[in-house]
Amino acid sequence: MKKDDPIIAAILAENILDETVVKELVSTQAASGQSFISIIKSKNLVDKNQLTKLTAVGNSIEFITLSPDMIDSVAARLVSFELARQHDLIPVRIEKDSLYVAMSSPMNLSVRDQITTKTGYKVIPLAATTEAIGQAIAYHFNVESVTKQDIVAMRLKDSAGGDAKGKKGKSRSAKVADAPIVRLVDSIITGGVDARASDIHIEPQEPDMKVRYRVDGILIEALDVPSSAQREVISHIKILADMDISERRTPQDGHIGIEYNNKEYDLRVSSLPATGGEKIVIRILDATAGLETLDNIVSSQADYEEFQSLIGNPYGMVLLTGPTGSGKTTTLYSMIQYLNTPDRNIVTVEDPVEYRLSGITQVQVKDEVGMTFASGLRSILRQDPDIILIGEIRDLETAEMAISAAQTGHLVLSTLHTNNAAGAISRLVNLGVSPFQAASALLGVIAQRLVRTICPKCKESYKPSKEEVVSLFGSKDAAKKAMGGKVMLYKGSGCDACRQTGYRGRRGLYEILNVVPEVRALVVDSASDDQVKACAIAHQMKTLKMQGVEQVLEGNTTAEELFRVIDMRED
C-alpha cells in the first residue's frame, strides 16, 4: 500500500477509514483500474464533505474552511443565485483575470466552463464543504446583503448629480441606477419567497421606505430602502405588473408571473396612494403547488369527520367565518376539491379567483362592469349547478339569493366576517335575512383561526408559570381538575430553520356549529348569540378556546400564540 499517495495519506491521517479497509480498496483499484476516488464513491464509504476533501487532495485543489466574511460580495454576485444553489458553489474573489470559486464538486468541468462563459474569467476551483457553501450563499444572496450593495450603487448615482447627460440624453446616473433598481426589486421579491412570506409590504415611511414580509401571519421587517429610490422601485414594480406608472392618485391592481427555483409564482400586486407616496402590497401565490387537501388542512380526525358530514349534504348552506387572513378561502378551496367529482357541476363566484381549479367553473367578480356577487350568483343559478361557492356574503341581495339556492336543491358554501360561529346567524339577520330563512337554510357554521405551530427542530418543554396556567384554564382549580396539577407546555427556542422565531408553519382551529333541531328552534325564536352558543356546546361543539387549549397541551402551539389569536375571556 502506497502511504505516500496523497489521498491514502489524507485518509489515514484523519482516520477517515480503517487501514484494513484502505488495503482492500487498493486491491480493488489494482484489479479494476478505477480511480481510488471512484471506488470510494461507489461504495458510499465517506460522506459528501469527506469526498470533497479527498477529491481536492487527489487533484491538487486547495481545500478551504469557507466563511461568509472571506467572500468578496462583488465576486459572489457574478453568478446567479440559481446557479450557486443548484451546483453548490460560490465565487470567493477575483485576482487579475481569474475567478476563485468555492465548490463542493470542484471537478465539475462543465459548470466551470459555464461560469467562464458567463463572466469572462478563468475559473480557479477551491474545495469547500456543502454546509459552508450553503451558509455563504444564504449570507451573500439574502435580501439584506443584496440591498446593501444596491443601495451603495444608488447613493453613488445620487452623488453623481442628476444633470450629467450621456450621448442620448439619458443621465449617466440613471444608467448606474438601472441595474441596482432591477436587482433590488428582484431581491425583495425572491427574499419574500425564500422567507415563505404570503405578502410583501412596501411602505413609504420617513426617512426610508420600509419592506416587510408577512410570514405565518406575522409582519416582520426585512429592510429599509432609501427614500431617494422609492419612486424608481415602485415604478419598476408597476411596470412588471402592467400597471399605469403615471397614475399615482388612485389605487391599482396588477399581476406578475415569475419563475424561481424551478417553481412558478403568481404575484398579485396592489397599489394604494398614501401620505408620502404609494404603498405596494404583493400577494405571493405558488402557482405550481397543489392545493392542500381537506384531510391535510383539518388535522383533527373528529373535526374532519364533522366537515365531511356537513358538506356531504345534497343541499343547504355551510358558512365559514373569521377575520381576514384566517385561512377561510384555503379551507373553502379544499372543501370544493373534496366535492369535485365528474358527476357534479360546481360553479364559484370569487373576488379574486386565487387558484385555478380543474373541472370547476370559476367566475371573477368585476364591479366596474356590473358583475357583482349577486349578479354572478343570479347567472350561476341558470347554469344548472349542483354546488355553488360564493367568495363572501356582503349584502342582503347576495344573502337572500344564497339562501334561496340552498333551499332549492343546491349545496352553497360561503364566508362571513364574524368572531365566532354563533355570530354568523345574527350577522345574517342584521343584513335583513329573516330568522326563519336563516334557520331553514343553514346546515352549519365553521369559525376558523390560524395559529403558528412550534418549530420541530428547536421545540423544547418547560414548566409554565401560574399566570399561564390560570389564563389557559380560567383558574388553578380548573387546571388541577383538568391536568391533575401537572402541566407541561412547549415552545421553540429559535433556530435557522424558523428564522429564530420558534415557529414554523400554521394550523387551523375550528369551531363547528351544527344546526341541530334545538339550535334551529332558537334561531327561529331570535335567541341571542350566547344562547345559541350554549346550546351548541351542549351538543358537543368545541369552541375556538377549547380547541386552542388542546393544541397547546399537545405541544403543537404555544400558550403565547393562543393568547395572541383567541380571546381567552370567551366561554
Side-chain angles (χ1 to χ4, degrees), residues 262-281:
N262 298 318
K263 288 186 176 182
E264 292 181 1
Y265 293 90
D266 189 18
L267 309 181
R268 307 290 174 82
V269 183
S270 171
S271 71
L272 179 69
T275 303
E278 290 178 278
K279 175 176 177 176
I280 297 284
V281 174

Side-chain angles (χ1 to χ4, degrees), residues 34-86:
Q34 291 180 276
S35 70
F36 202 73
I37 291 293
S38 297
I39 296 170
I40 293 174
K41 185 176 181 180
S42 66
K43 293 181 177 292
N44 292 318
L45 295 174
V46 298
D47 61 33
K48 188 174 181 180
N49 291 335
Q50 290 171 329
L51 185 64
T52 296
K53 192 165 188 177
L54 294 176
T55 301
V57 169
N59 292 277
S60 300
I61 294 172
E62 181 184 358
F63 183 89
I64 61 172
T65 304
L66 185 67
S67 63
D69 56 4
M70 292 171 56
I71 296 171
D72 178 354
S73 59
V74 174
R77 296 294 295 175
L78 288 175
V79 302
S80 68
F81 172 76
E82 290 78 8
L83 181 67
R85 190 145 80 171
Q86 181 182 354

Side-chain angles (χ1 to χ4, degrees), residues 97-373:
D97 62 346
S98 297
L99 180 65
Y100 288 76
V101 181
M103 308 173 69
S104 65
S105 301
M107 293 308 293
N108 191 332
L109 300 180
S110 64
V111 174
R112 283 159 54 174
D113 290 342
Q114 188 176 342
I115 296 172
T116 296
T117 301
K118 178 178 175 59
T119 65
Y121 288 101
K122 176 185 176 183
V123 172
I124 306 297
L126 303 170
T129 65
T130 297
E131 289 80 4
I133 292 173
Q135 290 174 2
I137 290 172
Y139 179 85
H140 283 278
F141 284 89
N142 70 13
V143 65
E144 293 89 347
S145 297
V146 175
T147 301
K148 287 174 185 175
Q149 301 166 38
D150 294 337
I151 285 173
V152 169
M154 286 186 287
R155 283 177 175 159
L156 284 174
K157 166 243 181 178
D158 290 339
S159 64
D163 296 328
K165 301 290 182 181
K167 288 183 179 179
K168 296 185 179 179
K170 185 176 182 180
S171 70
R172 291 195 299 269
S173 59
K175 291 182 180 179
V176 173
D178 281 346
I181 289 294
V182 172
R183 289 201 306 269
L184 176 57
V185 171
D186 182 62
S187 64
I188 288 171
I189 292 172
T190 57
V193 174
D194 288 336
R196 300 180 298 106
S198 60
D199 301 88
I200 301 171
H201 290 243
I202 302 171
E203 306 165 312
Q205 301 287 344
E206 292 294 339
D208 295 324
M209 183 170 67
K210 293 192 176 295
V211 177
R212 297 191 291 172
Y213 296 149
R214 188 176 292 282
V215 181
D216 293 336
I218 302 294
L219 279 172
I220 58 173
E221 291 190 357
L223 57 105
D224 293 341
V225 177
S227 56
S228 59
Q230 176 177 314
R231 181 168 292 187
E232 292 168 290
V233 167
I234 290 174
S235 292
H236 185 63
I237 292 172
K238 291 172 77 172
I239 289 170
L240 292 175
D242 198 23
M243 296 158 70
D244 185 355
I245 63 171
S246 65
E247 180 54 72
R248 303 188 183 95
R249 298 167 298 174
T250 59
Q252 295 186 66
D253 293 303
H255 163 268
I256 304 172
I258 66 167
E259 184 175 335
Y260 179 62
N261 287 343
N262 298 318
K263 288 186 176 182
E264 292 181 1
Y265 293 90
D266 189 18
L267 309 181
R268 307 290 174 82
V269 183
S270 171
S271 71
L272 179 69
T275 303
E278 290 178 278
K279 175 176 177 176
I280 297 284
V281 174
I282 303 173
R283 168 65 57 88
I284 303 174
L285 300 172
D286 185 347
T288 57
L291 287 170
E292 291 279 359
T293 58
L294 186 61
D295 57 341
N296 281 338
I297 287 179
V298 185
S299 53
S300 162
Q301 182 61 29
D303 287 348
Y304 179 62
E305 289 174 0
E306 287 203 63
F307 268 80
Q308 287 180 306
S309 176
L310 281 176
I311 63 178
N313 286 281
Y315 57 87
M317 184 162 68
V318 178
L319 295 177
L320 265 72
T321 76
T324 300
S326 59
K328 299 188 298 297
T329 300
T330 301
T331 303
L332 271 181
Y333 276 141
S334 71
M335 293 161 73
I336 285 292
Q337 287 284 76
Y338 175 86
L339 295 167
N340 187 15
T341 57
D343 61 325
R344 289 179 171 134
N345 177 24
I346 302 176
V347 187
T348 77
V349 54
E350 308 171 57
D351 184 22
V353 175
E354 293 197 359
Y355 287 98
R356 309 292 185 190
L357 304 177
S358 177
I360 294 173
T361 302
Q362 295 173 270
V363 178
Q364 169 71 56
V365 167
K366 293 182 180 179
D367 290 332
E368 64 273 16
V369 296
M371 176 61 81
T372 63
F373 278 112

